[in-house]
Amino acid sequence: MRLTLQLPGGKERVVEVPDAELDRRLSDFLEDQGCPLNTRCGGIGRCRGCQLETDGRDGGRTFRACRTTLGEALADRLIIPARSWRDHSLSG
């Protein structure tokens, strides 16, 4: 599966998501892709620092990446707001 990440500043990156990764937490997958998110609560879902948005088949929704698997976040595009970046800088 291909997933388009809309990064802060309007940049986009397309990543391949292997089927074997669909049960993995989205925040962990994005970390490995060079897109570290703000998970200051330790990934327990309290701070909403890793909140992302979808744009695509389901008409759009918001969710916390630390509490959502890749399979649950299936969308044409994931929008990563600047406030959700761990250090507010792009890597990769």
Side-chain angles (χ1 to χ4, degrees):
M1 169 179 110
R2 285 189 173 179
L3 178 61
T4 300
L5 304 175
Q6 183 176 325
L7 308 174
K11 296 181 182 181
E12 290 189 351
R13 181 188 300 173
V14 178
V15 296
E16 291 292 329
V17 179
D19 289 341
E21 297 280 314
L22 292 178
D23 290 333
R24 193 167 177 211
R25 283 191 326 173
L26 181 58
S27 57
D28 294 337
F29 177 79
L30 291 175
E31 174 93 22
D32 288 348
Q33 297 297 313
C35 299
L37 299 178
N38 180 0
T39 54
R40 64 184 174 268
C41 69
I44 59 174
R46 289 191 180 166
C47 71
R48 297 184 192 263
C50 63
Q51 195 157 332
L52 304 180
E53 303 167 13
T54 61
D55 177 17
R57 288 185 291 268
D58 61 3
R61 62 188 173 102
T62 60
F63 57 91
R64 290 169 280 178
C66 70
R67 307 302 293 170
T68 305
T69 66
L70 282 160
E72 293 169 330
L74 287 178
D76 297 326
R77 176 183 316 267
L78 282 180
I79 302 165
I80 305 174
R83 69 181 178 278
S84 294
W85 282 99
R86 178 180 304 149
D87 60 359
H88 300 286
S89 66
L90 300 179
S91 49

